[in-house]
């Protein structure tokens, strides 16, 4: 009998959903995966909510640790980083800095860009355009990208020369600036960081799973993807 991988991932093709996949691909950790279909509301099913009471993705189950379940994408990255001793600095100060930038993504970049995407790519196609909300979230998202651009000045990655879970968490959100209709003009440090991570084959391999959504990054049939996305997230 083939031994099952320790890590099982429940996820979908979203910015949060890609985070554990990027980690696992970059760390060369074997895993298996269950695709959660939003159109069937699988994330709200009884069996799934026993693993993740918030009814969102992603979730992991560590078979190697008594089937321990971890939800919330930032917590998953921290758990995996500690388990495999990857992409997390060893010094106390550097670990704290990594956590700070991880929380910056979780508390700022994700919510603000997520709302910019929601009001433009989900609410508006359903006939609900809110100019005030769009302006609010687009402007705040741009401000946060400017913070990142300043942090990246003279650095290869967010913490310096070391690729960390802060980069893993932040990249899929910020790289989807097109989907949020946020300009990155003039943010040269940020764009150079995009270019570096765009060349990481493991990260790009993760973005192909469970299935690719190139439209998030301004490629492919954007109009069709927007309509499908709006329908998929309706009453999510």
């Amino acid at each position: 009998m083939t031994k099952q991988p320790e890590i099982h991932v429940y996820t979908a093709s979203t910015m949060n959903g890609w985070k554990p996949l990027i980690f696992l691909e970059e760390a060369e950790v074997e895993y298996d995966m269950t695709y959660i279909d939003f159109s069937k509301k699988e994330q709200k099913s009884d069996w799934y909510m026993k693993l993740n009471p918030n009814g969102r993705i992603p979730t992991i189950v560590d078979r190697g640790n008594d089937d321990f379940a971890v939800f919330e994408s930032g917590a998953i990255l921290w758990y995996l980083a500690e388990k495999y001793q990857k992409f997390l600095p060893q010094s106390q100060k550097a670990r704290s800095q990594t956590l700070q930038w991880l929380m910056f993504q979780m508390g700022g970049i994700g919510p603000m860009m997520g709302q910019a995407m929601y009001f433009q790519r989900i609410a508006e196609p359903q006939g609900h355009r809110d100019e005030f909300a769009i302006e609010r979230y687009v402007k705040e998202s741009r401000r946060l990208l400017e913070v990142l651009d300043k942090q990246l000045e003279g650095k290869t990655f967010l913490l310096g020369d070391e690729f960390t879970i802060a980069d893993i968490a932040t990249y899929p959100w910020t790289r989807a600036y097109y989907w949020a209709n946020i300009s990155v003009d003039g943010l040269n440090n940020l764009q150079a960081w995009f270019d570096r991570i765009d060349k990481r084959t493991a990260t790009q391999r993760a973005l192909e799973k469970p299935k690719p959504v190139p439209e998030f990054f301004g490629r492919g049939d954007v109009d069709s993807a927007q309509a499908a996305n709006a329908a998929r997230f309706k009453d999510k």
Side-chain angles (χ1 to χ4, degrees):
M1 178 181 289
T2 303
K3 185 179 178 182
Q4 289 181 308
E6 284 192 328
I7 302 297
H8 188 87
V9 185
Y10 298 87
T11 196
S13 297
T14 72
M15 293 72 187
N16 286 333
W18 281 315
K19 291 178 192 176
L21 301 182
I22 294 172
F23 180 99
L24 293 164
E25 292 287 342
E26 287 279 357
E28 300 182 325
V29 171
E30 188 178 1
Y31 64 95
D32 50 17
M33 177 175 53
T34 296
Y35 170 66
I36 299 299
D37 190 339
F38 295 150
S39 69
K40 298 178 182 177
K41 293 185 170 55
E42 290 179 343
Q43 76 278 15
K44 300 298 186 183
S45 60
D46 290 342
W47 68 266
Y48 183 75
M49 292 190 71
K50 288 179 182 177
L51 301 173
N52 184 336
N54 194 35
R56 295 289 190 269
I57 59 95
T59 302
I60 66 167
V61 171
D62 185 354
R63 298 185 181 110
N65 189 17
D66 300 320
D67 290 336
F68 185 64
V70 186
F71 69 95
E72 288 298 317
S73 59
I76 290 171
L77 288 178
W78 194 266
Y79 179 87
L80 291 172
E82 290 196 318
K83 177 179 176 70
Y84 293 106
Q85 292 298 293
K86 295 274 191 178
F87 312 126
L88 186 62
Q90 293 303 305
S91 75
Q92 183 183 41
K93 289 181 179 179
R95 284 170 73 92
S96 176
Q97 289 172 331
T98 303
L99 181 59
Q100 290 170 53
W101 287 102
L102 176 63
M103 293 300 101
F104 178 79
Q105 186 282 306
M106 296 294 296
I109 292 287
M112 294 300 104
M113 290 190 71
Q115 292 297 330
M117 293 172 186
Y118 176 84
F119 280 101
Q120 297 177 91
R121 300 293 186 178
I122 298 174
E124 185 172 348
Q126 295 179 23
H128 306 287
R129 180 170 177 84
D130 187 327
E131 296 284 357
F132 181 85
I134 291 171
E135 182 179 9
R136 153 71 176 160
Y137 291 117
V138 167
K139 282 188 174 180
E140 179 62 6
S141 295
R142 168 68 191 204
R143 186 190 72 80
L144 294 172
L145 295 186
E146 290 170 0
V147 173
L148 286 176
D149 187 71
K150 184 175 181 180
Q151 172 65 15
L152 284 161
E153 186 174 357
K155 299 182 183 69
T156 303
F157 300 110
L158 285 171
L159 273 298
D161 292 331
E162 185 175 355
F163 183 71
T164 72
I165 55 173
D167 298 285
I168 291 173
T170 306
Y171 173 78
W173 277 102
T174 55
R175 190 63 181 83
Y177 63 86
Y178 172 89
W179 197 249
N181 282 324
I182 300 165
S183 171
V184 294
D185 290 350
L187 304 183
N188 297 332
N189 301 317
L190 183 67
Q191 292 187 50
W193 177 75
F194 289 156
D195 291 342
R196 284 189 285 275
I197 301 182
D198 286 350
K199 293 178 176 133
R200 296 181 72 95
T201 57
T203 292
Q204 300 311 310
R205 189 165 59 243
L207 296 181
E208 297 291 309
K209 302 177 181 181
K211 55 185 178 181
V213 190
E215 295 81 7
F216 285 173
F217 310 108
R219 303 185 293 269
D221 187 345
V222 174
D223 290 341
S224 294
Q226 178 174 280
N229 189 66
R232 183 167 64 116
F233 282 87
K234 189 174 183 179
D235 301 323
K236 181 171 69 74

